[in-house]
Amino acid sequence: MSGLRSVGLLLPVKRLDYFGLPCEQRPRGKLTGSLCHHGRELPPICNDVRQKHRLSIDTLPPELKAPFPLDPIIPLRTKTTKEFQEDMDRATQSGDWREVRDFYLTTFESFIEINAAFKREANGLFNTIEDSGVNAKFVNAVYDTLLGTPQDIQKSVLKGIINSLLREWKGPRTKDDLRAYFILLQNPQYSSTNTYVIYAHLLRQIAALSEADHHFLVHWLKRLSARRFRQLVERLLQFISTRLFPGDPDELPPLSKCSWWIPSATKVLSLFNAANSVSSPPIMPFTDFYNITLDHIDFMEEYRIWQNHGNSNRFSFCQFPFILSTVVKKAIIQKDSEQQMISQARQSLVSKVSRRQRVDMNLLFLNIKVRRAQLLSDSLDELTRKRCDLKKKLRVTFVGEAGLDMGGLTKEWFLLLVRQIFHTDYGMFTYMKDSRCHWFSSWKCDNYSEFQLVGTLMGLAVYNSIALDIHFPLYCYRKLLSPPTVPCDQNAFVGMATATLEDLQQVMPELAHGLGELLSYEGNVEEDFYLTFQISQEEMGIMKSYNLKPGGDKIPVTKQNRKEYVQLYVDFLLNKSIYKQFAAFYHGFHSVCASDALMLLRPEEVEMLVCGSPELDMSALQKAAQYEGYSKADTTVRCFWEVVLAFTLELQKKLLHFATGSDRVPVGGMADLNFKISKIDVPTDWLPVSHTCFNQICLPPYRTRKELKHKLTIAISNAEGFGLE
């Protein structure tokens, strides 16, 4: 269904077949706890299986055809939430569970009975995505008390679910079937590994539903309470983690016998991810869908499977990137980058050797030589001249300054260059005070190479794992992924992401508010606003006018066409007016980061890779710190942390820049910095020294907190081009 595709997160990347599991024969054996009754595994199903059953009836001779059964009549069940709770109270007090037992036994014995118990109107249709027709309050009451009932009741529920799943295996799905799946998915018993076999079969049947059925489930799921939604997501994540790394290998069937468990669970989890994405605001942060257990699998093998078997039925977690943490995605991009770097360097080396030329080790690097006084022009010249070497390891030299770049000079080059490019006097970018971000200036020129330089810089930063202090709105990163790989057609448009009023809010909140008022205005729009489909904006101090559509200066904005006006205005500001600038920026970025791995990323994750995190946690840095010549109990070290933890945020950023060459925190957090405090045996009137390539700060043996604070503040406040090695 087109509506489901619009969610964008259900379908695997690279146009993979969504179901990704082999079609096998329909099972006829009984579903058992071992999954391997009589030595045969209960095989997975997929769309094609059900399709074959639907078509096969037409191949029968007329005398053998049975009339297609009508939807069964659902029996009338009148028990209310209040009556159920009263039954539970009586059973708890008296110890007589017969009435409660009968209720649970009857309710879960079939999909029909599940609908009878929990459907608000037994034979109501409820065939819309807006309303599942389920009495959510009653479902919650029944499930919230289930785990407190005697074991025989809980076992009877599981037995009923097994029979329901086997009974409902055949035929096309009705909305009542979907409702039953929706209700069964919320059962809290699946938190126990003892029930994982049943849970897996439920997940498989849900995963194998049609795309149209998934569309309904997505919209029903998003209407769950936030608490229930989170519980179900966490249960699925735990199921995947436990299947991958079971605490007791004997508590689950062998992985070889149930290889379909993880694909089924991941596909059902993708329904929740889609439901979260179409909710405004999202029910839970997208980062809560990360499964950190996957940080410990061979994710490069997953990446290779995804690249090599994109259109096959072979499952890979890369088909469902929402489950992979930013740490994993960063590692994939880095390793992919390293392979490209090695390939580039090898080609240069082989070329030299084949021509019997003397091999210069500088061939292995992208060597950038710049003068501080001409930093921007030198950098642009160097990157333009050496654009064939962009995928090599970056090494920076400042002319006239001694020192080998082991990473520190590279970090400083990025820092100084970004600071100069984004300065308001330079004019490439406009700083939006209301949104506290930069946006592309719309002035026209003959050469947009400097915008390409900024894109190249961002690409090099990701490629070389450098965090930049850049403040673009999130919409910029969405444009950067539109599309995530450069089109083969050189004339194809790039960076043209669909723009909404919410996107404009990120950049120009005041203007977005004004356009919102126009859309909701109840009076006479044409007479009161007196607008046409022509807008004016300032470029380099000159006001220029642009028609939003042909003849726009003669078309008045009315109540009937104001939505079109707002859409065209927003699209003009965020796309058309800066197209050439952003296209150059886009191609600069992708000239370095041309990788399939970018297809795994959300815009928020690209921002994290480019900028790192601005949130400083010095306590986390203290816990992760290493020491050389000192121990954490030494007076100098204790004084250091007392001073640093009491610093203002600005001074903490300066300290981080002094020690690491950047004031941003990498994707993996402070622990990924490998921060080290070393002792240097020099007089205490010396200032601290840093080795930014090793994220190391060297402290003389200061004896007092006051002395350490004074010397450290001087050092970190005068770090640029001094004291950095």
Side-chain angles (χ1 to χ4, degrees), residues 21 69 77 219 253 286 295 303 310 336 431 454 523 670 684 697 717:
L21 291 176
R77 304 280 182 240
H219 286 274
F286 71 89
D295 293 5
Y303 181 62
D336 196 37
Y431 182 69
V454 180
M670 288 293 199
T684 54
I697 188 168
S717 300

Side-chain angles (χ1 to χ4, degrees), residues 339-356:
Q339 290 168 5
Q340 293 183 45
M341 286 180 185
I342 292 168
S343 176
Q344 285 274 340
R346 185 185 291 122
Q347 287 175 16
S348 299
L349 202 58
V350 169
S351 177
K352 281 279 187 183
V353 171
S354 64
R355 295 198 300 268
R356 297 186 178 182

Side-chain angles (χ1 to χ4, degrees), residues 692-704:
T692 53
C693 47
F694 303 117
N695 296 337
Q696 181 180 20
I697 188 168
C698 303
L699 297 175
Y702 300 121
R703 297 183 185 87
T704 66

Side-chain angles (χ1 to χ4, degrees), residues 119-120 126 128-134 179 182 220 223:
K119 202 171 173 183
R120 290 202 304 274
F126 297 111
T128 68
I129 61 173
E130 286 78 20
D131 186 3
S132 66
V134 172
R179 249 181 297 280
F182 176 62
W220 290 354
R223 286 173 170 78

Side-chain angles (χ1 to χ4, degrees), residues 9 23 35 87 107 111 144 146 194 233 265 302 307 328 386 388 396 446-447 486 505 510 514 577 619 640 660 672 688:
L9 297 174
C23 297
L35 246 183
D87 291 345
T107 297
F111 280 16
D144 289 344
L146 175 58
N194 295 330
V233 168
E302 295 286 323
Q307 283 189 304
V328 168
K386 299 175 180 177
C388 293
V396 175
D446 297 327
N447 188 352
V486 180
Q505 179 76 28
E510 192 173 332
S577 67
S619 297
F640 174 82
T660 71
D672 271 14

Side-chain angles (χ1 to χ4, degrees), residues 78-119:
T78 58
K79 190 177 288 291
T80 64
T81 305
K82 183 180 178 182
E83 289 169 346
F84 172 78
Q85 289 171 336
E86 289 171 352
D87 291 345
M88 282 296 302
D89 291 340
R90 277 195 301 273
T92 304
Q93 292 169 10
S94 67
D96 183 357
W97 291 89
R98 281 177 297 181
E99 193 168 353
V100 172
R101 183 178 291 106
D102 289 343
F103 169 80
Y104 277 110
L105 192 62
T106 303
T107 297
F108 290 96
E109 71 177 10
S110 70
F111 280 16
I112 293 174
E113 289 292 348
I114 290 171
N115 276 275
F118 297 116
K119 202 171 173 183

Side-chain angles (χ1 to χ4, degrees), residues 511 514-519 521 524-536 546-549 551-559 561-566 569:
L511 176 58
L515 292 174
E517 298 244 317
L518 170 64
L519 290 176
Y521 188 66
N524 189 315
V525 171
E526 184 175 356
E527 292 183 2
D528 296 347
F529 282 86
Y530 202 64
L531 295 170
T532 65
F533 276 72
Q534 183 184 70
I535 57 103
S536 300
Y546 297 91
N547 285 344
L548 297 177
K549 58 192 298 188
D553 56 324
K554 296 180 175 61
I555 303 173
V557 177
T558 65
K559 187 173 286 188
N561 64 19
R562 59 184 172 180
K563 283 186 180 179
E564 181 191 11
Y565 170 80
V566 169
Y569 196 176

Side-chain angles (χ1 to χ4, degrees), residues 332-566:
I332 289 174
I333 288 173
Q334 283 182 325
K335 290 183 183 296
D336 196 37
S337 300
E338 286 169 9
Q339 290 168 5
Q340 293 183 45
M341 286 180 185
I342 292 168
S343 176
Q344 285 274 340
R346 185 185 291 122
Q347 287 175 16
S348 299
L349 202 58
V350 169
S351 177
K352 281 279 187 183
V353 171
S354 64
R355 295 198 300 268
R356 297 186 178 182
Q357 295 177 343
R358 185 167 174 266
V359 175
D360 183 356
M361 292 308 291
N362 283 327
L363 279 175
L364 303 177
F365 298 92
L366 168 59
N367 292 288
I368 301 293
K369 278 189 176 182
V370 292
R371 297 164 292 178
R372 286 187 184 270
Q374 282 80 35
L375 183 69
L376 190 58
S377 58
D378 283 1
S379 298
L380 182 60
D381 290 343
E382 287 280 86
L383 291 175
T384 302
R385 198 159 46 86
K386 299 175 180 177
R387 58 180 174 270
C388 293
D389 296 333
L390 293 178
K391 291 183 183 293
K392 295 179 182 177
K393 183 68 177 174
L394 179 61
R395 197 163 67 179
V396 175
T397 303
F398 286 98
V399 176
E401 299 180 21
L404 182 64
D405 184 15
M406 300 294 289
L409 294 176
T410 294
K411 292 177 184 177
E412 188 179 9
W413 176 69
F414 274 113
L415 187 82
L416 298 177
L417 204 50
V418 165
R419 189 179 298 170
Q420 188 168 334
I421 286 170
F422 285 89
H423 197 284
T424 52
D425 291 346
Y426 200 67
M428 284 180 66
F429 297 93
T430 303
Y431 182 69
M432 304 294 184
K433 291 183 179 179
D434 291 341
S435 56
R436 297 182 180 179
C437 69
H438 287 97
W439 192 243
F440 295 76
S441 295
S442 58
W443 50 267
K444 308 297 184 289
C445 63
D446 297 327
N447 188 352
Y448 295 95
S449 57
E450 290 181 344
F451 286 99
Q452 186 163 351
L453 167 65
V454 180
T456 304
L457 273 178
M458 276 180 51
L460 286 172
V462 172
Y463 211 63
N464 291 271
S465 300
I466 305 291
L468 300 180
D469 188 14
I470 288 178
H471 302 278
F472 282 130
L474 186 61
Y475 180 69
C476 174
Y477 298 98
R478 186 143 64 84
K479 284 170 68 70
L480 206 54
L481 294 177
S482 299
T485 55
V486 180
C488 296
D489 182 0
Q490 294 183 348
N491 296 319
F493 286 107
V494 296
M496 295 289 283
T498 303
T500 66
L501 207 53
E502 289 72 27
D503 297 320
L504 185 65
Q505 179 76 28
Q506 299 173 18
V507 186
M508 307 168 190
E510 192 173 332
L511 176 58
H513 177 74
L515 292 174
E517 298 244 317
L518 170 64
L519 290 176
S520 60
Y521 188 66
E522 296 292 338
N524 189 315
V525 171
E526 184 175 356
E527 292 183 2
D528 296 347
F529 282 86
Y530 202 64
L531 295 170
T532 65
F533 276 72
Q534 183 184 70
I535 57 103
S536 300
Q537 64 177 18
E538 184 179 336
E539 295 177 10
M540 304 294 285
I542 301 172
M543 292 300 295
K544 293 190 175 181
S545 298
Y546 297 91
N547 285 344
L548 297 177
K549 58 192 298 188
D553 56 324
K554 296 180 175 61
I555 303 173
V557 177
T558 65
K559 187 173 286 188
Q560 288 71 37
N561 64 19
R562 59 184 172 180
K563 283 186 180 179
E564 181 191 11
Y565 170 80
V566 169

